[in-house]
Amino acid sequence: MTVGAALDLSHHFSVETKSRKASPLKSCIHLFHDPNIIFLGGGLPMSKYFPWDNLNVQSPLPPFKNGIGEVPSGTDKDTCHVQIRRDETTKAGDTIDVPLSRALQYGHSQGQPEFLSFVKEHTELVHKMQYSDWDVLATTGNTGAFESALRIFCDRGDTILAEQYSFSASIYAAEAQGINVFPVPLDDHGLIPERLATILDNWNPEVKKPKLLYTIPTGQNPTGSSLSYERKAEIYRIAQKHDLIILEDEPYYFLQMDEYQEDPSQRKTTTYSSHSEFLQSLAKSFISMDTEGRVIRMDSFSKVLGPGTRLGWIVASKQIVTAFLRLHEMSIQNPSGFSQSIVAGTLNRWGQDGFLDWMVGLRQEYNEKRDVAIDALHKYVPEDSVFHVNPPIAGMFFTISIDSSKHPEFATKYESKPELVEQAIYNKVVESGVLIVPGAWFKVEGETQPPQPAESKKELDPNRIFFRGTYAAVPLDKLQDGIRKVGIALKEEFQL
Amino acid sequence: MTVGAALDLSHHFSVETKSRKASPLKSCIHLFHDPNIIFLGGGLPMSKYFPWDNLNVQSPLPPFKNGIGEVPSGTDKDTCHVQIRRDETTKAGDTIDVPLSRALQYGHSQGQPEFLSFVKEHTELVHKMQYSDWDVLATTGNTGAFESALRIFCDRGDTILAEQYSFSASIYAAEAQGINVFPVPLDDHGLIPERLATILDNWNPEVKKPKLLYTIPTGQNPTGSSLSYERKAEIYRIAQKHDLIILEDEPYYFLQMDEYQEDPSQRKTTTYSSHSEFLQSLAKSFISMDTEGRVIRMDSFSKVLGPGTRLGWIVASKQIVTAFLRLHEMSIQNPSGFSQSIVAGTLNRWGQDGFLDWMVGLRQEYNEKRDVAIDALHKYVPEDSVFHVNPPIAGMFFTISIDSSKHPEFATKYESKPELVEQAIYNKVVESGVLIVPGAWFKVEGETQPPQPAESKKELDPNRIFFRGTYAAVPLDKLQDGIRKVGIALKEEFQL
């Protein structure tokens, strides 16, 4: 298949990006490795002054026969020994390891070759890219990548679009930068394309149009919803029509599960006869539909390997990747060399298949955790016109949605204010020894100048509040006990 | 001695900082470790899903008897074995290691306790802080910390002050943000206090006054100069008078050397009978003089351990540290857990004394490198009215300053334009197989609306150009050969 090149989207760049000059120093660091040049050009310490050598770390060995979460024995039978040497033995990129002498040096702001080649191959495997000039760049994870994206595209006073409840660190980062975050309505299946279209078609011509849609398509934070292929295709068409960039935040992509079955006898965790069957089963991403380079995909190891790696990557057109690179050269420079060395050393030993084996194993763990959580919710929290639980098919979060107007003291003690009921429930639940988080913490409250369509939708019922819980952070017994306590607290609060 | 508290400097915060809300999610992450709470609050993966265990790395063992740069044998005699386990054995901060289960988890945006306690103790040892409510915060190094500082204090259209030649990534970062960088003249001894005073005393009242002075006091980049105690004290007084924040960028602080002696028989590298004698010998920092909390010190491991750690720290008042923390929670979150774990594990095993031993050893290495470089410059580059070398007493850089008007073709081929001579020399030197860097790459060219004092100073001679070289990046033989080639190229270019 012949594929085309990405569009030039530089008209969306911020004043900052447009006025950023490339550092000439960065442009000559590569000469440090040129045997024909004596490099007196930059303050690079000689690697013999780096005080570390022989970095060893153990990881489990694919295909992870004992499942994910088992400590390997240390023997070659089930243990992958990652050994990082100090010195380069071959040319950069020819080996599977980033030697410490390079990992700990300046340079490679885009990421170390051994890291980039792995995630590039992974991206091609999973998303089968549909335009020619795409590239990847190492990030410190999606929070950092999102903040960089705002700096790259937005000026103070600009508007971006986001799901009406969204990851609060992202929303607060945008608001602090003076960016208006305009909410797009959600239902149990995620962002509603028709609502997005109506908002954009009716955009107040006196207000600058949004440049960018920020979305968490899989296991949305906080609502736990996931977008279907049909919705994504529709949203992508709307983005084309209105020249929107789609910023796809995908930390939970590989935590896709089987649909929840209420009857335990009907449950079976899907197994895959091959890696390609597993890949086939995954939701189609926005980037996989992108023929024009208008999607920026943010991938992260935080949820699948460990948040403290502070390592992730973006996939985007070369033009956009270059804009990130220029900003990173003057800010983070690049993610930690230790992180890149250890992650690349591990993944390159596991191989692409091994990494997918890890994801399959992880998916199985979260499948079970999700089932235990939803079972407990069904057992301890009444499912009726007051309370509603939407079993997620991806990610780490469940929500308990509550009709606050059904609270016996709604009109009296709480003055018909849903937010007061929400606060009271939060206090009650925390008092009982469990932490779940009020939906209000995630509410996107940017100005909504354009006319809001008058359709009546359950998700916009102003009396509906919700709480976000997670099945990720604690073992199964604690999870059940926590949800039991939540149930007791809710029933007490509603005098049931 | 009773010390006071820092001033409230929040009037200097940017609109962004003033409008930034703290993320409620971050404020409850600590409950993850609370035994009385079942944590269903945030998407923290369980640490058993982190695929790493038993991280081991070797470093040399203090007091580094064989000098810095020797590979340890691997035996306990000269090798420090850093072993990081997966699980916490005691309370955070009670141990010298950051266990992987915590290093790789979310949380501790300010930095891991074992890392912070080491750099805090180090700061107290070296700088003997003079006000009460100071604190430290982990950064990804000084490039990142500087960029954060700009976001925290500056709005588009603000002015900051910087040395008239300065680190280009910093200057370009500021310019891209729409910040005017106003140059303060330098001489061989660094920033000139009288010139700073004149600039501020005569500031155009119609232009917003600068909030911040950015300075590299030790081994200044690119000029190699270092500020004396007297100049620093004077600059601090000026900062008080004009309510300036001083941003002290100190990656080269521990690369302080003996003064260069032209006669090799007069040379002896100073040895220290105790660590306190070594500490006494060091230049007094701006932060050590600060009684009001108006200095932000940026420290980095890039030049003393390795740039790829992407780890450093700032020292500042708690108010300012909190502003960095709030920004980092929405951008980098925190430096890599692997980096913090390995660096803290190494430094806590070395101890404060061991870390100072490392610095003494490193200082000795750079002393020798500086001597070899300056010897070679004296041998191969004529020292006369055309060429001038200023032997540095700190850092990684030397400069060759050149009177471009003495070029035989200055008025003809180069149309009396110093920048054309500079470019021609650069091309000639690179052709000869050496990279040194034109001073023009570092020139601060912000608008200079306020009246410039009319004093005639050599450093402002418009025909003087300079090149920055480094003795850091190559071994001694290559260093000599490189400078020899530079000398040949210069003499050829000037037809000497």
Side-chain angles (χ1 to χ4, degrees), chain A residues 11 80 211 218 221 229-230 251 293 365 475:
Chain A
H11 57 280
C80 174
K211 288 171 172 176
T218 316
N221 185 1
Y229 171 74
E230 291 69 26
E365 295 288 318

Side-chain angles (χ1 to χ4, degrees), chain B residues 409-422:
Chain B
E409 296 176 297
F410 181 68
T412 52
K413 185 173 172 191
Y414 299 120
E415 307 162 31
S416 300
K417 291 182 177 157
E419 62 274 22
L420 296 185
V421 179
E422 190 171 2

Side-chain angles (χ1 to χ4, degrees), chain B residues 157-159 180 203-210 449-450:
Chain B
D158 279 357
T159 294
N180 183 36
W203 196 262
N204 180 347
E206 282 165 30
V207 178
K208 220 170 131 192
K209 256 184 119 167
Q449 304 100 326

Side-chain angles (χ1 to χ4, degrees), chain B residues 307-379:
Chain B
T309 59
R310 292 292 86 218
L311 186 61
W313 71 100
I314 58 157
V315 186
S317 73
K318 276 194 203 301
Q319 182 184 54
I320 291 173
V321 163
T322 302
F324 275 84
L325 179 61
R326 293 284 169 268
L327 170 56
H328 283 190
E329 284 173 351
M330 295 172 193
S331 53
I332 60 162
Q333 300 218 27
N334 46 254
S336 154
F338 282 127
S339 286
Q340 291 192 71
S341 217
I342 292 170
V343 170
T346 305
L347 293 182
N348 281 315
R349 278 172 182 76
W350 287 5
Q352 297 292 345
D353 283 350
F355 188 40
L356 294 178
D357 287 334
W358 181 262
M359 300 306 202
V360 170
L362 208 58
R363 169 189 191 284
Q364 210 152 314
E365 296 287 318
Y366 280 93
N367 220 75
E368 185 182 0
K369 284 175 153 267
R370 190 270 323 262
D371 285 351
V372 166
I374 304 297
D375 288 354
L377 285 160
H378 285 168
K379 184 169 173 189

Side-chain angles (χ1 to χ4, degrees), chain A residues 85-102 114:
Chain A
R85 298 281 159 255
R86 177 191 285 264
D87 290 314
E88 197 94 48
T89 48
T90 52
K91 228 174 102 245
D94 285 356
T95 157
I96 58 172
D97 284 324
V98 191
L100 294 175
S101 63
R102 176 152 49 78
E114 295 81 0

Side-chain angles (χ1 to χ4, degrees), chain B residues 171-326:
Chain B
I171 305 310
Y172 289 9
E175 288 174 355
Q177 289 183 38
I179 299 162
N180 183 36
V181 188
F182 188 97
V184 184
L186 287 167
D187 62 17
D188 278 359
H189 306 286
L191 193 152
I192 307 166
E194 299 74 43
R195 302 298 290 270
L196 176 66
T198 317
I199 288 168
L200 288 165
D201 288 339
N202 297 289
W203 196 262
N204 180 347
E206 282 165 30
V207 178
K208 220 170 131 192
K209 256 184 119 167
K211 287 172 173 175
L212 193 147
L213 167 66
Y214 169 63
T215 174
I216 309 167
T218 314
Q220 205 263 348
N221 184 1
T223 64
S225 63
S226 294
L227 282 173
S228 65
Y229 170 73
E230 291 70 25
R231 284 201 178 186
K232 281 183 188 162
E234 187 55 28
I235 292 165
Y236 187 76
R237 274 191 296 272
I238 298 166
Q240 288 182 303
K241 179 177 170 190
H242 292 281
D243 192 22
L244 274 183
I245 289 169
I246 297 176
L247 191 52
E248 158 172 71
D249 186 5
E250 283 282 49
Y252 314 104
Y253 183 71
F254 277 101
L255 306 184
Q256 296 180 41
M257 307 153 190
D258 295 313
E259 295 231 1
Y260 174 74
Q261 296 287 346
E262 189 143 8
D263 176 359
S265 74
Q266 295 295 311
R267 274 178 210 164
K268 54 169 182 30
T269 308
T270 305
T271 53
Y272 302 98
S273 60
S274 68
H275 291 107
S276 65
E277 193 183 315
F278 171 56
L279 291 173
Q280 278 292 332
S281 78
L282 294 170
K284 249 181 106 63
S285 61
F286 277 113
I287 198 115
S288 74
M289 307 174 179
D290 187 16
T291 51
E292 300 182 335
R294 65 168 68 254
V295 177
I296 303 168
R297 183 180 173 84
M298 306 194 292
D299 271 299
S300 165
F301 293 116
S302 291
K303 306 301 185 184
V304 298
L305 297 181
T309 59
R310 292 292 86 218
L311 186 61
W313 71 100
I314 58 157
V315 186
S317 73
K318 276 194 203 301
Q319 182 184 54
I320 291 173
V321 163
T322 302
F324 275 84
L325 179 61
R326 293 284 169 268

